[in-house]
């Protein structure tokens, strides 16, 4: 099962008609694994002002310059720093700040009439991808793949994907 909810927020400083944005996303997944019920509840939220931790310490690198955070325990605790997070449920979250050219285009989806293509596909779980592999495999949906490719090469060479600052962020969620 997969359920999701969005929270919309109106921003008074924006022009009328262009003042409502999605400010929070909540995802709930559940699957049966060998008779045990495994559930994941993920909350991704934006905050109006950067977190105190991100504002006070110039050495701390935060997602979205401190305005993006996520929780896997229903909002009791939040994480706001880039990293490769693994949880006992088997869930993995890779979160990092992204160069603008590497961000996903909003209009790149394709609609297929072949409903069996998704239903009959299989995920390969035997090979674990690195965080940079998740980023590079999405090149076709990026705003500017050529410019992003140079940025990605530099991240690989310097091994600093999780040390990037910025307002654009990418979150990959891998569930069991």
């Amino acid at each position: 099962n997969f359920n999701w909810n969005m929270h919309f927020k109106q921003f008074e400083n924006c022009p009328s008609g262009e003042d409502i944005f999605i400010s929070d996303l909540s995802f709930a997944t559940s699957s049966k694994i060998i008779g045990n019920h495994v559930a994941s509840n993920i909350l991704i939220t934006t905050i109006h002002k950067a977190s105190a931790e991100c504002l006070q310490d110039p050495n701390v690198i935060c997602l979205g310059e401190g305005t993006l955070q996520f929780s896997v325990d229903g909002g009791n605790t939040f994480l706001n720093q880039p990293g490769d997070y693994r949880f006992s449920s088997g869930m993995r979250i890779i979160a990092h700040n992204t160069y603008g050219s590497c961000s996903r285009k909003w209009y790149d989806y394709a609609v297929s009439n072949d409903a069996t293509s998704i239903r009959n596909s299989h995920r390969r779980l035997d090979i674990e991808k690195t965080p940079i592999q998740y980023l590079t495999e999405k090149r076709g949906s990026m705003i500017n793949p050529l410019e992003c490719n140079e940025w990605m090469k530099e991240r690989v060479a310097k091994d600093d994907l999780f040390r990037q600052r910025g307002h654009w962020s990418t979150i990959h969620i891998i569930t069991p």
Side-chain angles (χ1 to χ4, degrees):
N1 292 330
F2 178 76
N3 299 301
W4 58 277
N5 291 304
M6 295 183 291
H7 178 249
F8 295 90
K9 184 175 180 179
Q10 185 171 16
F11 292 85
E12 296 174 8
N13 295 337
C14 296
S16 180
E18 299 176 16
D19 55 351
I20 297 179
F21 296 90
I22 298 170
S23 60
D24 303 297
L25 293 170
S26 174
F27 303 96
T29 65
S30 64
S31 59
K32 232 170 176 79
I33 300 178
I34 314 174
N36 295 324
H37 185 69
V38 175
S40 301
N41 294 306
I42 305 157
L43 174 64
I44 301 170
T45 183
T46 58
I47 51 179
H48 185 66
K49 186 178 177 186
S51 68
E53 174 189 30
C54 299
L55 288 173
Q56 294 169 357
D57 188 344
N59 297 316
V60 172
I61 298 172
C62 297
L63 295 168
E65 293 294 347
T67 62
L68 182 66
Q69 57 188 9
F70 64 93
S71 172
V72 294
D73 62 5
N76 292 321
T77 58
F78 284 92
L79 300 166
N80 66 359
Q81 294 181 348
D84 189 350
Y85 298 93
R86 296 160 191 270
F87 301 92
S88 60
S89 66
M91 180 175 50
R92 180 180 179 197
I93 295 179
I94 300 168
H96 57 85
N97 290 317
T98 305
Y99 185 53
S101 296
C102 300
S103 294
R104 182 183 175 276
K105 292 184 278 188
W106 287 88
Y107 55 87
D108 63 343
Y109 58 88
V111 177
S112 171
N113 293 327
D114 183 9
T116 61
S117 63
I118 294 174
R119 202 172 290 130
N120 294 332
S121 65
H122 300 282
R123 293 191 321 176
R124 289 191 59 183
L125 298 177
D126 57 337
I127 300 173
E128 183 167 289
K129 296 177 191 172
T130 64
I132 202 76
Q133 285 174 315
Y134 280 99
L135 182 60
T136 58
E137 73 182 10
K138 301 294 181 192
R139 271 185 237 172
S141 65
M142 293 176 179
I143 292 173
N144 187 334
L146 294 175
E147 188 174 331
C148 177
N149 192 47
E150 295 304 313
W151 182 82
M152 287 188 298
K153 284 180 186 176
E154 190 174 341
R155 300 295 63 80
V156 170
K158 294 181 177 182
D159 190 27
D160 67 353
L161 179 63
F162 297 129
R163 292 190 301 272
Q164 297 302 299
R165 297 186 182 279
H167 293 281
W168 296 71
S169 298
T170 298
I171 299 176
H172 301 276
I173 301 171
I174 302 96
T175 59

